[in-house]
Coordinates of all heavy atoms in Angstrom, one line a residue:
M1 N -94.8 -13.0 -30.6 CA -93.9 -14.0 -31.1 C -92.9 -13.5 -32.1 O -93.1 -12.4 -32.6 CB -94.7 -15.2 -31.7 CG -95.4 -14.8 -33.0 SD -96.0 -16.3 -33.8 CE -94.7 -16.8 -34.9
L2 N -91.8 -14.2 -32.3 CA -90.8 -13.7 -33.2 C -90.9 -14.5 -34.6 O -90.9 -15.7 -34.6 CB -89.4 -14.0 -32.6 CG -88.3 -13.2 -33.3 CD1 -88.4 -11.7 -32.9 CD2 -87.0 -13.6 -32.7
V3 N -91.0 -13.7 -35.6 CA -91.2 -14.4 -36.9 C -89.9 -14.1 -37.7 O -89.2 -13.1 -37.6 CB -92.3 -13.7 -37.7 CG1 -92.6 -14.4 -39.0 CG2 -93.5 -13.6 -36.9
N4 N -89.5 -15.2 -38.4 CA -88.3 -15.1 -39.2 C -88.7 -14.6 -40.6 O -89.5 -15.3 -41.3 CB -87.6 -16.4 -39.2 CG -86.1 -16.3 -39.6 OD1 -85.5 -15.4 -39.0 ND2 -85.7 -17.0 -40.6
I5 N -88.1 -13.5 -41.0 CA -88.5 -13.0 -42.3 C -87.2 -13.0 -43.2 O -86.1 -12.4 -42.8 CB -89.1 -11.6 -42.2 CG1 -90.4 -11.8 -41.5 CG2 -89.3 -11.0 -43.6 CD1 -91.1 -10.5 -41.2
V6 N -87.3 -13.5 -44.4 CA -86.2 -13.5 -45.3 C -86.4 -12.4 -46.3 O -87.4 -12.4 -47.1 CB -85.9 -14.9 -46.0 CG1 -84.8 -14.8 -47.0 CG2 -85.7 -15.9 -44.9
C7 N -85.5 -11.4 -46.5 CA -85.6 -10.4 -47.4 C -85.5 -10.9 -48.8 O -84.5 -11.6 -49.1 CB -84.5 -9.4 -47.0 SG -84.4 -8.0 -48.2
P8 N -86.4 -10.6 -49.7 CA -86.4 -11.1 -51.0 C -85.3 -10.4 -51.9 O -84.9 -10.8 -52.9 CB -87.8 -10.8 -51.6 CG -88.3 -9.7 -50.8 CD -87.6 -9.9 -49.4
K9 N -84.8 -9.2 -51.3 CA -83.8 -8.5 -52.1 C -82.4 -8.9 -51.8 O -81.5 -9.1 -52.7 CB -83.9 -7.0 -51.7 CG -85.1 -6.4 -52.3 CD -84.9 -4.9 -52.5 CE -86.1 -4.3 -53.2 NZ -86.1 -2.8 -53.3
C10 N -82.0 -9.2 -50.5 CA -80.7 -9.6 -50.2 C -80.6 -11.0 -49.5 O -79.5 -11.4 -49.1 CB -80.0 -8.5 -49.3 SG -80.8 -8.3 -47.7
N11 N -81.7 -11.6 -49.4 CA -81.7 -13.0 -48.8 C -81.3 -13.1 -47.4 O -80.8 -14.1 -46.9 CB -81.0 -13.9 -49.7 CG -81.8 -14.5 -50.8 OD1 -83.0 -14.7 -50.6 ND2 -81.2 -14.7 -51.9
T12 N -81.3 -12.0 -46.6 CA -80.9 -12.0 -45.2 C -82.1 -12.2 -44.4 O -83.1 -11.6 -44.6 CB -80.3 -10.6 -44.9 OG1 -79.2 -10.3 -45.7 CG2 -79.8 -10.6 -43.4
S13 N -82.0 -13.1 -43.5 CA -83.1 -13.3 -42.6 C -83.0 -12.4 -41.3 O -81.9 -12.2 -40.9 CB -83.3 -14.8 -42.2 OG -82.1 -15.2 -41.4
G14 N -84.2 -12.0 -40.9 CA -84.2 -11.1 -39.7 C -85.4 -11.5 -38.9 O -86.4 -12.1 -39.4
G15 N -85.3 -11.2 -37.7 CA -86.4 -11.5 -36.7 C -87.3 -10.3 -36.6 O -86.9 -9.1 -36.6
F16 N -88.6 -10.6 -36.6 CA -89.6 -9.5 -36.5 C -90.6 -10.0 -35.4 O -91.2 -11.1 -35.5 CB -90.3 -9.3 -37.8 CG -91.3 -8.2 -37.8 CD1 -90.9 -6.9 -37.7 CD2 -92.7 -8.6 -38.0 CE1 -91.9 -5.9 -37.7 CE2 -93.6 -7.6 -38.0 CZ -93.2 -6.2 -37.8
S17 N -90.9 -9.2 -34.4 CA -91.7 -9.7 -33.4 C -93.1 -9.0 -33.6 O -93.2 -7.8 -33.8 CB -91.2 -9.3 -32.0 OG -91.1 -7.9 -31.8
I18 N -94.2 -9.8 -33.5 CA -95.5 -9.3 -33.6 C -96.3 -9.7 -32.4 O -96.0 -10.6 -31.7 CB -96.3 -9.8 -34.9 CG1 -96.3 -11.3 -34.9 CG2 -95.6 -9.3 -36.2 CD1 -97.3 -11.9 -35.9
T19 N -97.3 -8.8 -32.1 CA -98.1 -9.1 -30.9 C -99.4 -9.8 -31.2 O -100.0 -10.4 -30.4 CB -98.4 -7.8 -30.1 OG1 -98.8 -6.8 -31.1 CG2 -97.1 -7.3 -29.5
D20 N -99.8 -9.6 -32.5 CA -101.0 -10.2 -33.0 C -100.7 -11.4 -33.9 O -99.7 -11.5 -34.5 CB -101.9 -9.2 -33.7 CG -102.2 -8.0 -32.8 OD1 -102.6 -8.3 -31.6 OD2 -102.2 -6.9 -33.3
A21 N -101.7 -12.3 -34.0 CA -101.5 -13.4 -34.9 C -101.7 -13.0 -36.3 O -101.3 -13.6 -37.3 CB -102.6 -14.5 -34.6
Y22 N -102.4 -11.8 -36.5 CA -102.6 -11.2 -37.8 C -101.9 -9.9 -38.0 O -102.1 -9.1 -37.1 CB -104.2 -11.1 -38.1 CG -104.9 -12.4 -38.0 CD1 -105.4 -12.8 -36.8 CD2 -105.0 -13.3 -39.1 CE1 -106.0 -14.1 -36.7 CE2 -105.6 -14.4 -39.0 CZ -106.2 -14.8 -37.8 OH -106.8 -16.1 -37.7
Y23 N -101.2 -9.7 -39.0 CA -100.5 -8.5 -39.2 C -100.2 -8.2 -40.7 O -99.8 -9.2 -41.4 CB -99.2 -8.5 -38.5 CG -98.3 -7.3 -38.7 CD1 -98.5 -6.1 -37.9 CD2 -97.3 -7.3 -39.6 CE1 -97.7 -5.0 -38.1 CE2 -96.5 -6.2 -39.9 CZ -96.7 -5.1 -39.1 OH -95.9 -3.9 -39.3
I24 N -100.6 -7.1 -41.2 CA -100.2 -6.7 -42.5 C -99.5 -5.3 -42.3 O -100.1 -4.4 -41.8 CB -101.4 -6.5 -43.4 CG1 -102.1 -7.9 -43.6 CG2 -100.9 -6.0 -44.8 CD1 -103.4 -7.8 -44.5
G25 N -98.3 -5.3 -42.7 CA -97.6 -4.0 -42.5 C -96.2 -4.1 -43.0 O -95.7 -5.1 -43.5
P26 N -95.6 -2.9 -42.8 CA -94.2 -2.8 -43.3 C -93.1 -3.5 -42.4 O -93.3 -3.5 -41.2 CB -93.9 -1.3 -43.5 CG -94.9 -0.7 -42.5 CD -96.0 -1.6 -42.3
Y27 N -92.1 -4.0 -42.9 CA -91.0 -4.5 -42.2 C -89.7 -4.0 -42.9 O -89.6 -4.1 -44.1 CB -91.0 -6.0 -42.2 CG -89.7 -6.7 -41.9 CD1 -89.3 -6.8 -40.5 CD2 -88.9 -7.2 -42.9 CE1 -88.0 -7.4 -40.3 CE2 -87.7 -7.7 -42.6 CZ -87.3 -7.8 -41.3 OH -86.0 -8.4 -41.0
K28 N -88.8 -3.5 -42.1 CA -87.6 -3.0 -42.7 C -86.5 -3.9 -42.6 O -86.1 -4.3 -41.4 CB -87.3 -1.5 -42.1 CG -86.4 -0.7 -43.0 CD -86.2 0.6 -42.4 CE -86.0 1.7 -43.4 NZ -85.9 3.0 -42.8
C29 N -85.8 -4.3 -43.7 CA -84.7 -5.1 -43.6 C -83.5 -4.4 -42.9 O -83.2 -3.3 -43.3 CB -84.3 -5.6 -45.0 SG -82.8 -6.5 -45.1
W30 N -83.0 -5.1 -41.9 CA -81.9 -4.4 -41.1 C -80.6 -4.3 -42.0 O -79.8 -3.5 -41.7 CB -81.6 -5.2 -39.9 CG -81.2 -6.6 -40.1 CD1 -82.0 -7.7 -40.1 CD2 -79.8 -7.1 -40.3 NE1 -81.3 -8.8 -40.3 CE2 -79.9 -8.5 -40.4 CE3 -78.6 -6.5 -40.3 CZ2 -78.9 -9.3 -40.6 CZ3 -77.5 -7.3 -40.5 CH2 -77.6 -8.7 -40.6
K31 N -80.5 -5.1 -43.1 CA -79.3 -5.1 -43.8 C -79.3 -4.1 -45.0 O -78.5 -3.2 -45.1 CB -78.9 -6.5 -44.3 CG -77.5 -6.6 -44.7 CD -77.1 -8.0 -45.0 CE -75.6 -8.1 -45.2 NZ -75.3 -9.4 -45.8
C32 N -80.3 -4.3 -45.9 CA -80.3 -3.5 -47.1 C -81.3 -2.4 -47.0 O -81.5 -1.6 -47.9 CB -80.6 -4.3 -48.4 SG -82.2 -4.9 -48.5
R33 N -82.1 -2.3 -45.9 CA -83.0 -1.3 -45.6 C -84.2 -1.2 -46.5 O -84.9 -0.2 -46.6 CB -82.3 0.1 -45.5 CG -81.2 0.1 -44.5 CD -80.7 1.5 -44.1 NE -80.0 1.5 -42.9 CZ -80.5 1.7 -41.7 NH1 -81.8 2.0 -41.6 NH2 -79.8 1.8 -40.6
A34 N -84.4 -2.3 -47.2 CA -85.6 -2.4 -48.1 C -86.9 -2.5 -47.2 O -86.8 -3.2 -46.2 CB -85.5 -3.6 -49.0
V35 N -87.9 -1.8 -47.6 CA -89.1 -2.0 -46.8 C -90.0 -3.1 -47.5 O -90.3 -3.0 -48.7 CB -89.9 -0.6 -46.8 CG1 -91.2 -0.8 -46.0 CG2 -89.0 0.5 -46.2
L36 N -90.3 -4.0 -46.7 CA -91.1 -5.1 -47.2 C -92.5 -5.0 -46.7 O -92.7 -4.6 -45.5 CB -90.5 -6.5 -46.8 CG -89.0 -6.6 -47.0 CD1 -88.6 -7.9 -46.4 CD2 -88.7 -6.6 -48.5
K37 N -93.5 -5.5 -47.4 CA -94.8 -5.6 -46.9 C -95.1 -7.0 -46.6 O -95.0 -7.9 -47.4 CB -95.8 -5.2 -48.1 CG -97.2 -5.1 -47.7 CD -98.0 -4.8 -48.9 CE -99.5 -4.7 -48.6 NZ -100.2 -4.3 -49.9
I38 N -95.3 -7.3 -45.2 CA -95.5 -8.6 -44.8 C -96.9 -8.9 -44.4 O -97.6 -8.0 -44.0 CB -94.5 -9.0 -43.7 CG1 -94.8 -8.1 -42.5 CG2 -93.1 -9.0 -44.1 CD1 -94.0 -8.6 -41.2
N39 N -97.3 -10.1 -44.6 CA -98.7 -10.4 -44.4 C -98.8 -11.7 -43.5 O -98.3 -12.8 -44.0 CB -99.4 -10.7 -45.8 CG -100.9 -11.0 -45.6 OD1 -101.4 -11.1 -44.4 ND2 -101.6 -11.1 -46.7
M40 N -99.1 -11.5 -42.3 CA -99.1 -12.7 -41.3 C -100.6 -13.1 -41.1 O -101.4 -12.2 -40.9 CB -98.5 -12.2 -40.0 CG -97.1 -11.8 -40.0 SD -96.0 -13.2 -40.2 CE -96.6 -14.2 -38.8
D41 N -100.8 -14.3 -41.2 CA -102.1 -14.8 -41.0 C -102.0 -16.0 -40.0 O -101.4 -17.0 -40.3 CB -102.7 -15.3 -42.3 CG -104.2 -15.7 -42.2 OD1 -104.7 -15.5 -41.1 OD2 -104.7 -16.2 -43.1
N42 N -102.6 -15.8 -38.8 CA -102.6 -16.9 -37.8 C -101.2 -17.3 -37.5 O -100.9 -18.5 -37.6 CB -103.5 -18.0 -38.3 CG -103.9 -18.9 -37.1 OD1 -103.8 -18.5 -36.0 ND2 -104.5 -20.1 -37.4
N43 N -100.3 -16.3 -37.3 CA -98.9 -16.6 -36.9 C -98.1 -17.3 -38.1 O -97.0 -17.8 -37.8 CB -98.8 -17.5 -35.7 CG -99.2 -16.8 -34.5 OD1 -98.9 -15.5 -34.3 ND2 -99.9 -17.3 -33.5
R44 N -98.6 -17.2 -39.3 CA -97.8 -17.8 -40.4 C -97.5 -16.6 -41.4 O -98.4 -15.9 -41.7 CB -98.6 -18.9 -41.0 CG -98.2 -20.3 -40.4 CD -98.8 -21.5 -41.2 NE -99.0 -21.2 -42.6 CZ -100.2 -21.4 -43.2 NH1 -101.3 -21.7 -42.5 NH2 -100.4 -21.2 -44.4
L45 N -96.4 -16.6 -42.0 CA -96.1 -15.7 -42.9 C -96.7 -16.1 -44.3 O -96.4 -17.1 -44.8 CB -94.6 -15.5 -43.1 CG -94.1 -14.4 -44.0 CD1 -94.4 -13.0 -43.5 CD2 -92.6 -14.5 -44.2
V46 N -97.7 -15.2 -44.7 CA -98.3 -15.6 -46.0 C -97.6 -15.0 -47.2 O -97.4 -15.6 -48.2 CB -99.8 -15.1 -46.0 CG1 -100.5 -15.4 -47.2 CG2 -100.5 -15.7 -44.8
S47 N -97.2 -13.7 -47.0 CA -96.5 -13.1 -48.1 C -95.6 -12.1 -47.6 O -95.7 -11.5 -46.5 CB -97.5 -12.5 -49.1 OG -98.1 -11.4 -48.6
C48 N -94.6 -11.8 -48.5 CA -93.5 -10.8 -48.1 C -93.0 -10.3 -49.4 O -92.5 -11.0 -50.2 CB -92.5 -11.6 -47.4 SG -90.9 -10.7 -47.2
E49 N -93.3 -9.0 -49.7 CA -92.9 -8.4 -51.0 C -92.3 -7.0 -50.7 O -92.6 -6.4 -49.7 CB -94.1 -8.4 -51.9 CG -95.3 -7.7 -51.4 CD -96.5 -8.0 -52.2 OE1 -96.8 -9.2 -52.6 OE2 -97.3 -7.1 -52.5
A50 N -91.5 -6.7 -51.6 CA -90.9 -5.4 -51.5 C -91.9 -4.2 -51.7 O -92.8 -4.4 -52.4 CB -89.8 -5.2 -52.6
M51 N -91.7 -3.2 -50.9 CA -92.6 -2.1 -50.9 C -91.8 -0.9 -51.3 O -90.7 -0.7 -50.9 CB -93.1 -1.9 -49.4 CG -94.5 -1.2 -49.3 SD -94.8 -0.8 -47.5 CE -96.3 -1.7 -47.3
S52 N -92.4 -0.1 -52.2 CA -91.7 1.2 -52.6 C -91.8 2.2 -51.5 O -92.6 2.1 -50.6 CB -92.3 1.7 -53.9 OG -93.7 2.1 -53.6
D53 N -90.9 3.1 -51.5 CA -90.9 4.2 -50.5 C -92.2 4.9 -50.5 O -92.8 5.2 -49.4 CB -89.8 5.2 -50.7 CG -88.4 4.6 -50.5 OD1 -88.3 3.6 -49.8 OD2 -87.4 5.3 -50.8
E54 N -92.8 5.1 -51.6 CA -94.1 5.8 -51.7 C -95.1 5.0 -51.0 O -95.9 5.6 -50.3 CB -94.4 5.8 -53.2 CG -94.8 7.2 -53.7 CD -95.0 7.1 -55.2 OE1 -95.9 6.7 -55.8 OE2 -94.0 7.7 -55.9
E55 N -95.1 3.7 -51.3 CA -96.1 2.8 -50.7 C -96.0 2.8 -49.2 O -97.0 2.8 -48.5 CB -96.0 1.4 -51.3 CG -97.3 0.6 -51.3 CD -97.1 -0.7 -51.9 OE1 -96.0 -1.0 -52.5 OE2 -98.0 -1.5 -51.8
A56 N -94.8 2.7 -48.7 CA -94.5 2.6 -47.3 C -95.0 4.0 -46.6 O -95.6 3.9 -45.6 CB -93.0 2.5 -47.1
A57 N -94.7 5.1 -47.3 CA -95.2 6.3 -46.7 C -96.7 6.4 -46.7 O -97.3 6.9 -45.7 CB -94.6 7.5 -47.6
R58 N -97.3 5.9 -47.7 CA -98.8 5.9 -47.8 C -99.4 5.0 -46.7 O -100.3 5.4 -46.0 CB -99.3 5.4 -49.2 CG -100.7 5.9 -49.5 CD -101.3 5.2 -50.7 NE -100.3 5.2 -51.8 CZ -100.2 4.1 -52.5 NH1 -100.8 3.0 -52.3 NH2 -99.3 4.2 -53.5
F59 N -98.7 3.9 -46.5 CA -99.2 3.0 -45.4 C -99.0 3.6 -44.1 O -100.0 3.6 -43.2 CB -98.3 1.7 -45.4 CG -98.9 0.6 -44.7 CD1 -99.8 -0.3 -45.4 CD2 -98.7 0.4 -43.4 CE1 -100.4 -1.3 -44.7 CE2 -99.2 -0.7 -42.6 CZ -100.1 -1.5 -43.3
E60 N -98.0 4.3 -43.8 CA -97.8 5.0 -42.5 C -98.9 6.1 -42.3 O -99.4 6.2 -41.2 CB -96.4 5.6 -42.4 CG -95.6 4.8 -41.5 CD -94.1 5.2 -41.7 OE1 -93.8 6.4 -41.6 OE2 -93.3 4.3 -41.9
Q61 N -99.2 6.7 -43.4 CA -100.2 7.8 -43.3 C -101.6 7.2 -43.0 O -102.3 7.7 -42.1 CB -100.4 8.4 -44.7 CG -100.2 9.9 -44.7 CD -100.0 10.5 -46.1 OE1 -100.6 10.0 -47.0 NE2 -99.2 11.5 -46.2
E62 N -101.9 6.1 -43.6 CA -103.1 5.4 -43.3 C -103.2 5.0 -41.8 O -104.3 5.2 -41.2 CB -103.3 4.2 -44.2 CG -104.0 4.5 -45.5 CD -104.0 3.3 -46.4 OE1 -104.0 2.2 -46.0 OE2 -103.9 3.5 -47.7
Q63 N -102.1 4.4 -41.4 CA -102.1 4.0 -39.9 C -102.3 5.2 -39.0 O -103.1 5.1 -38.1 CB -100.8 3.3 -39.6 CG -100.5 2.0 -40.4 CD -101.5 0.9 -40.1 OE1 -102.5 0.9 -40.6 NE2 -101.1 0.1 -39.1
E64 N -101.7 6.2 -39.4 CA -101.8 7.5 -38.6 C -103.3 8.0 -38.6 O -103.8 8.4 -37.5 CB -100.9 8.5 -39.2 CG -100.8 9.9 -38.4 CD -100.3 9.7 -37.0 OE1 -99.4 8.8 -36.8 OE2 -100.7 10.4 -36.1
M65 N -103.9 7.9 -39.7 CA -105.2 8.4 -39.8 C -106.2 7.5 -39.0 O -107.1 8.0 -38.3 CB -105.7 8.4 -41.3 CG -105.5 9.8 -41.9 SD -105.6 9.7 -43.7 CE -107.2 9.1 -44.0
K66 N -105.9 6.2 -39.0 CA -106.7 5.3 -38.2 C -106.6 5.5 -36.8 O -107.5 5.5 -36.0 CB -106.3 3.9 -38.5 CG -107.1 3.2 -39.7 CD -106.7 1.7 -39.8 CE -106.7 1.3 -41.3 NZ -106.0 0.1 -41.5
R67 N -105.4 5.8 -36.4 CA -105.0 6.0 -35.0 C -105.8 7.2 -34.5 O -106.3 7.3 -33.4 CB -103.6 6.3 -34.8 CG -103.0 5.5 -33.6 CD -101.5 5.7 -33.6 NE -100.8 4.9 -34.6 CZ -99.7 5.3 -35.3 NH1 -99.2 6.5 -35.0 NH2 -99.2 4.6 -36.2
R68 N -105.8 8.3 -35.4 CA -106.5 9.6 -35.0 C -108.0 9.4 -34.8 O -108.6 9.9 -33.9 CB -106.2 10.6 -36.0 CG -104.9 11.4 -35.6 CD -104.7 12.5 -36.5 NE -103.3 12.8 -36.8 CZ -102.8 13.4 -37.8 NH1 -103.6 13.9 -38.7 NH2 -101.5 13.6 -38.0
S69 N -108.6 8.7 -35.8 CA -110.0 8.6 -35.8 C -110.5 7.7 -34.6 O -111.6 7.9 -34.1 CB -110.5 8.1 -37.1 OG -110.0 6.8 -37.3
R70 N -109.6 6.8 -34.3 CA -110.0 5.9 -33.2 C -109.9 6.7 -31.8 O -110.7 6.4 -31.0 CB -109.1 4.7 -33.2 CG -109.8 3.4 -32.7 CD -108.8 2.3 -32.6 NE -108.4 1.8 -33.9 CZ -107.2 1.4 -34.3 NH1 -106.2 1.3 -33.3 NH2 -106.8 1.0 -35.4
G71 N -108.9 7.5 -31.7 CA -108.6 8.1 -30.4 C -109.5 9.4 -30.2 O -109.2 10.1 -29.3
G72 N -110.4 9.7 -31.1 CA -111.2 10.9 -31.0 C -112.0 11.0 -29.7 O -112.1 12.1 -29.2
R73 N -112.6 9.9 -29.3 CA -113.5 10.0 -28.1 C -112.9 9.2 -26.9 O -112.5 8.1 -27.0 CB -114.8 9.4 -28.5 CG -115.7 10.5 -28.8 CD -117.1 9.9 -29.3 NE -117.0 9.3 -30.6 CZ -118.0 8.7 -31.3 NH1 -119.1 8.4 -30.7 NH2 -117.8 8.3 -32.5
Ligands
LIG101 ZN1 -82.5 -7.0 -47.4

């Protein structure tokens, strides 16, 4: 489904498509390129906050590690 996300930094709304009803992860604003941490719960946007570059990088690393450990066997 497509979720409408309003960037807290520039107030621009953008569409973000998710495949699961639950999602916690980064979303990049198409306009100001701020990385936001969005929290979707049961297809509803619960929270949306700015994420620092550091935090975003760490998040990606974690996702990568999860992917690797899962695909081991
Ligand atoms: Zn923005």
Side-chain angles (χ1 to χ4, degrees):
M1 71 170 265
L2 197 69
V3 188
N4 202 50
I5 296 177
V6 178
C7 173
K9 288 200 171 178
C10 66
N11 275 324
T12 302
S13 66
F16 181 69
S17 69
I18 57 165
T19 47
D20 300 316
Y22 300 90
Y23 175 84
I24 297 178
Y27 160 80
K28 200 175 210 175
C29 174
W30 59 270
K31 199 171 185 191
C32 72
R33 299 190 166 270
V35 181
L36 311 173
K37 183 185 185 177
I38 60 170
N39 184 355
M40 296 285 308
D41 186 9
N42 202 12
N43 288 322
R44 268 186 30 236
L45 185 66
V46 180
S47 71
C48 166
E49 53 196 44
M51 202 188 239
S52 64
D53 286 351
E54 228 171 78
E55 207 178 350
R58 203 190 313 138
F59 196 90
E60 254 166 50
Q61 233 168 37
E62 269 172 34
Q63 296 295 87
E64 183 63 35
M65 268 163 62
K66 268 186 213 163
R67 223 174 291 141
R68 269 187 216 159
S69 62
R70 214 184 289 145
R73 261 173 285 174

